[in-house]
Amino acid sequence: MSTATATKTKTYDLAYIAIFAVLIAICSWISIPMTVPFTLQTFGVFMAVGVLGGKRGSLAVLVYILLGAIGVPIFAGFSGGLGILLNNTGGYIIGFLFSALVMWAMESLWGKKPVIQILSMVVGLIVCYAMGTIWFMVVYTRTTGAIGLGTVLGWCVIPFIIPDLVKIALAFVLSRRVRKIVPMQ
């Protein structure tokens, strides 16, 4: 690979990573009002990895988290700052990165077959739920008092399962279409 080609590839990588970090931010600002309102952040994470692949998708998620951590208001509700990551639900945001990493690992091991992509998104979501729930329990117990796993699951996971499965389905279909249209260098 020539130096010019390598530079062009790196430029494309940076542009794609930036675009998908912005996409995740925009998705975090979109709140769907229901009994328990939810955002489209996980959709953005699934799209990033689905379109860009594991490495660039994970980097896009990392850029999103780092921008939010330094105070750029890109988290849900136009919030930002380290305090958001350290509060009760910050573990779910950190879980996005681990979701992307799990999806990348599964893609590396078993390829990008449709069934593997769907399975990797589901497993990534479970990892995000697990990290966020553990984080929530630790922070909540430290700041408010002891809380049971069933209560936390009822507050933070169960209401979001169906919307998150819908987001996975949409991200799967859209990412496959986008990859056909947009040339990934």
Side-chain angles (χ1 to χ4, degrees):
M1 180 182 290
S2 71
T3 305
T5 305
T7 302
K8 182 179 176 184
T9 300
K10 288 179 184 178
T11 303
Y12 274 105
D13 285 348
L14 290 173
Y16 287 137
I17 290 165
I19 288 167
F20 276 88
V22 169
L23 175 73
I24 298 167
I26 292 168
C27 288
S28 76
W29 298 333
I30 300 171
S31 180
I32 310 295
M34 296 189 69
T35 306
V36 177
F38 62 90
T39 66
L40 298 178
Q41 285 169 300
T42 50
F43 171 77
V45 171
F46 298 139
M47 281 294 293
V49 178
V51 172
L52 300 179
K55 181 179 179 180
R56 290 185 292 188
S58 294
L59 287 170
V61 174
L62 179 62
V63 167
Y64 165 75
I65 293 170
L66 291 174
L67 285 172
I70 64 169
V72 179
I74 59 173
F75 295 144
F78 295 95
S79 61
L82 200 52
I84 299 298
L85 293 176
L86 298 176
N87 79 8
N88 292 348
T89 58
Y92 294 101
I93 297 171
I94 301 298
F96 297 157
L97 179 59
F98 288 91
S99 291
L101 292 171
V102 164
M103 292 165 59
W104 182 12
M106 291 180 73
E107 170 189 304
S108 296
L109 291 171
W110 297 298
K112 287 190 173 189
K113 294 179 238 125
V115 69
I116 299 300
Q117 279 192 293
I118 292 170
L119 184 61
S120 75
M121 289 178 183
V122 170
V123 172
L125 180 62
I126 291 168
V127 167
C128 183
Y129 282 162
M131 289 200 61
T133 300
I134 291 167
W135 186 280
F136 187 96
M137 289 183 74
V138 168
V139 173
Y140 191 90
T141 299
R142 193 172 344 123
T143 59
T144 307
I147 189 169
L149 178 61
T151 302
V152 175
L153 291 175
W155 289 350
C156 302
V157 175
I158 294 170
F160 300 98
I161 291 173
I162 292 174
D164 283 341
L165 291 175
V166 169
K167 289 184 257 183
I168 285 173
L170 287 172
F172 172 73
V173 170
L174 289 175
S175 65
R176 292 183 68 77
R177 288 189 180 170
V178 168
R179 276 198 323 265
K180 288 179 183 176
I181 298 169
V182 178
M184 292 293 137
Q185 301 294 329

